[in-house]
Amino acid sequence: MDKKSLTAVARQQLKLAATATSGRSSQTIFGGHAQTLRQTVVGLTAGQSLAEHDNAGDATLLVLTGTLTLISGANEWKGSAGDLLVVPKARHSVKAVDDVAFLLTVAK
């Protein structure tokens, strides 16, 4: 068994995002390209975003800290710490309202 602290990984990704020119950082904590399930902790500084992209499979966002907006077409969903958002099966983007860290889970 492998154990990770999501709180510690989120804190680390936010620290790395703060020093990155892109304002973002991520670390896959389980799975990968060759596996069905992949879980990645993403850190975004306030105002930064993940540009609109296609859905790669069933996916959720679990907000660990901060606030974000999940956008798909004309629809928007706000999420804050503790919220689980189901990613729509359509093109979508994510914008950090303030510094945010979230767990992205994708099953393809």
Side-chain angles (χ1 to χ4, degrees), residues 67-71 76-79 93-97:
T67 310
L68 59 74
T69 304
L70 174 61
I71 304 159
E76 293 187 3
W77 301 272
K78 291 222 185 256
S93 62
V94 177
K95 182 167 184 172
V97 175

Side-chain angles (χ1 to χ4, degrees), residues 5 7 14 16 38 58 84 96:
S5 167
T7 302
L14 283 173
L16 292 169
R38 182 176 190 160
D58 292 332
L84 178 71

Side-chain angles (χ1 to χ4, degrees), residues 4-12 64:
K4 297 206 186 308
S5 167
L6 291 178
T7 302
V9 175
R11 190 171 36 247
Q12 177 190 35
L64 302 171

